[in-house]
Amino acid sequence: MLHTVNKSPFQKNSFDTSLRLSRKGSDILLIEDAVYAALKDSAIAKTVKQAVTTHSIYVLEPDLMARGLQPARLIKGIQIVGYEGFVELAVKNDKVQSWL
Amino acid sequence: MKFGIVINEGPYQHQSSDTAYHFTKAALAAGHTIVRVFYYHDGVNNGNNLATPPQDDRDIVKRWSALSKEHNLDLVVCVAAAQRRGIVDADQAKRSGKHAENLADGFRISGLGQLIETGIEADRLMVFGD
Amino acid sequence: MGAIKKFMYINRTAPYGSIYSLEGLEVALIGAAFDQDVSMAFVDDGVFQLKKGQDTSKSGMKNFSLAYSALGDYDITKLYVEKESLQARGLTVEDLMPLTYEDQDDDYQEKPSIRVVDSEQLADIIAEQDVLLNY
């Protein structure tokens, strides 16, 4: 199952909720302001590093770029995809939940 | 594969309409079908052809109309949400005595049932919102 | 008409502060006419939608909380409330409206619609759905 999140984890709990209410092994795609969750050295980096070991975490490249975030600043194990990759994730998974 | 797209927010205020647009384009480019784009809540403002964004910005309304024309997309604006926000087609303008109509090309106004039908018809329902 | 799909409306917003919870309720009621398998989940601030004793007389807004008790008549009988969300807000199931439905398969006995589940159970229920809408 694919879970998308679009809120900054520093503003709203959508990312936390997506972790709590997704099964282990699910795909989570960070889009829009949720891309900030991928930053290493942040106050929530520990949670995200842990999540990378239980879920497959992806981040949308155009939204990273728009916000000036370089790949080198991201937590290891988070995979970068474009809109084509977003579509592929939605195809590969049999359902999609958007945590807004 | 058949995708349904739901957009809950208006243009410019929130990125969701942009994300939905780029997702829809990428899905079409990959050979997938879009069953319907359903505009809900403030998302109905994506169908307001009176919008006049500055020239150096993207024209979100026109962009949807153009994509609809190119790929024969069904763009549906939720009627209850549209009425609350003053998005009207020619027929409704006449019936409710409004002095203008403002529904953009390629859009049509219909009921919430179309959202449920999209969920039934589509293999995947994608929700973009706030 | 194909196979029946499982629709779940996931409610994560509090009432009145924004339109989403009212819309979520409306679409659930309208969607009931399509004979799909419908359930609702109440998570995060969404649990406040079910709070007892809502009184909008002084705020001038429409009190739509009464409409939740109609859900049972529309065959929407599975209202999942996440235990962790309740606890995080200092609420218990006693704070929620006592919503019920008449079970047609059990001599029309009145049964509670609200089912408190923990996050792991709810994750499993979400993973079983076909269509997920968010409010």
Side-chain angles (χ1 to χ4, degrees):
Chain A
M1 179 167 175
L2 173 62
H3 298 258
T4 69
V5 184
N6 76 339
K7 289 293 175 301
S8 164
F10 308 106
Q11 199 190 14
K12 203 179 162 182
N13 66 353
S14 305
F15 179 66
D16 268 343
T17 301
S18 78
L19 288 177
R20 206 171 68 239
L21 295 182
S22 59
R23 281 175 166 169
K24 279 183 185 166
S26 305
D27 290 339
I28 297 181
L29 171 64
L30 308 171
I31 65 171
E32 299 172 3
D33 286 351
V35 300
Y36 294 118
L39 278 177
K40 65 179 176 189
D41 304 327
S42 83
I44 65 146
K46 210 176 144 190
T47 306
V48 183
K49 278 180 196 160
Q50 176 62 33
V52 169
T53 67
T54 54
H55 295 68
S56 297
I57 306 211
Y58 301 84
V59 64
L60 193 63
E61 187 183 29
D63 288 344
L64 276 182
M65 287 171 58
R67 289 160 178 79
L69 307 186
Q70 319 301 333
R73 297 292 300 272
L74 306 188
I75 287 164
K76 263 199 193 130
I78 294 182
Q79 301 164 66
I80 300 175
V81 295
Y83 288 108
E84 304 74 23
F86 186 174
V87 172
E88 282 164 20
L89 282 171
V91 170
K92 183 190 107 181
N93 286 282
D94 62 344
K95 67 205 80 176
V96 185
Q97 158 64 7
S98 310
W99 299 102
L100 306 172
Chain B
M1 179 159 286
K2 292 185 284 183
F3 281 101
I5 308 288
V6 181
I7 302 175
N8 289 342
E9 296 301 322
Y12 307 106
Q13 175 79 14
H14 190 277
Q15 200 186 342
S16 57
S17 179
D18 290 278
T19 306
Y21 176 78
H22 293 299
F23 180 91
T24 301
K25 267 186 77 164
L28 289 165
H32 301 297
T33 310
I34 305 296
V35 172
R36 184 170 296 117
V37 184
F38 190 85
Y39 300 86
Y40 195 17
H41 311 298
D42 274 356
V44 300
N45 291 314
N46 284 285
N48 182 353
N49 71 7
L50 295 178
T52 317
Q55 281 193 348
D56 63 348
D57 200 353
R58 66 223 189 279
D59 192 326
I60 293 180
V61 176
K62 278 214 176 110
R63 212 166 58 172
W64 279 116
S65 291
L67 196 66
S68 164
K69 199 171 174 190
E70 191 184 339
H71 296 277
N72 200 21
L73 297 185
D74 188 20
L75 309 183
V76 172
V77 163
C78 170
V79 62
Q83 283 174 341
R84 282 184 175 126
R85 291 164 181 83
I87 307 291
V88 284
D89 60 15
D91 188 42
Q92 285 178 323
K94 209 171 172 185
R95 269 188 289 132
S96 54
K98 301 290 180 191
H99 64 278
E101 56 172 274
N102 60 350
L103 190 68
D105 287 344
F107 288 80
R108 65 186 179 93
I109 294 180
S110 191
L112 257 183
Q114 294 275 297
L115 171 61
I116 311 294
E117 276 183 12
T118 309
I120 294 170
E121 287 169 35
D123 299 308
R124 306 280 185 277
L125 190 69
M126 309 295 297
V127 180
F128 298 92
D130 189 15
Chain C
M1 193 78 180
I4 288 177
K5 283 193 174 184
K6 289 185 153 195
F7 275 66
M8 177 178 258
Y9 302 96
I10 301 187
N11 295 277
R12 292 180 54 234
T13 50
Y16 309 113
S18 66
I19 188 88
Y20 300 107
S21 51
L22 170 58
E23 297 264 20
L25 181 61
E26 251 172 34
V27 78
L29 292 170
I30 288 170
F34 287 78
D35 291 329
Q36 305 293 306
D37 180 353
V38 176
S39 63
M40 297 174 84
F42 297 86
V43 175
D44 296 330
D45 281 353
V47 300
F48 289 130
Q49 290 179 32
L50 302 177
K51 176 76 181 62
K52 265 194 247 193
Q54 296 175 33
D55 177 0
T56 58
S57 58
K58 290 192 175 174
S59 69
M61 302 184 83
K62 186 171 155 186
N63 183 353
F64 60 95
S65 68
L66 305 169
Y68 289 92
S69 52
L71 287 167
D73 300 335
Y74 286 80
D75 283 336
I76 301 173
T77 60
K78 291 171 285 195
L79 310 183
Y80 299 105
V81 176
E82 193 206 13
K83 191 176 82 182
E84 285 80 352
S85 294
L86 277 181
Q87 283 174 348
R89 286 157 185 79
L91 299 180
T92 70
V93 72
E94 307 301 316
D95 291 304
L96 308 181
M97 294 182 276
L99 303 176
T100 57
Y101 71 101
E102 289 175 356
D103 190 347
Q104 297 168 16
D105 301 326
D106 193 4
D107 200 23
Y108 293 89
Q109 276 205 57
E110 202 159 301
K111 296 187 175 176
S113 302
I114 290 178
R115 306 165 193 208
V116 178
V117 292
D118 66 27
S119 53
E120 226 167 292
Q121 290 171 309
L122 187 54
D124 285 341
I125 295 164
I126 289 172
E128 286 165 7
Q129 303 301 315
D130 297 310
V131 181
L132 296 143
L133 288 157
N134 319 279
Y135 295 92

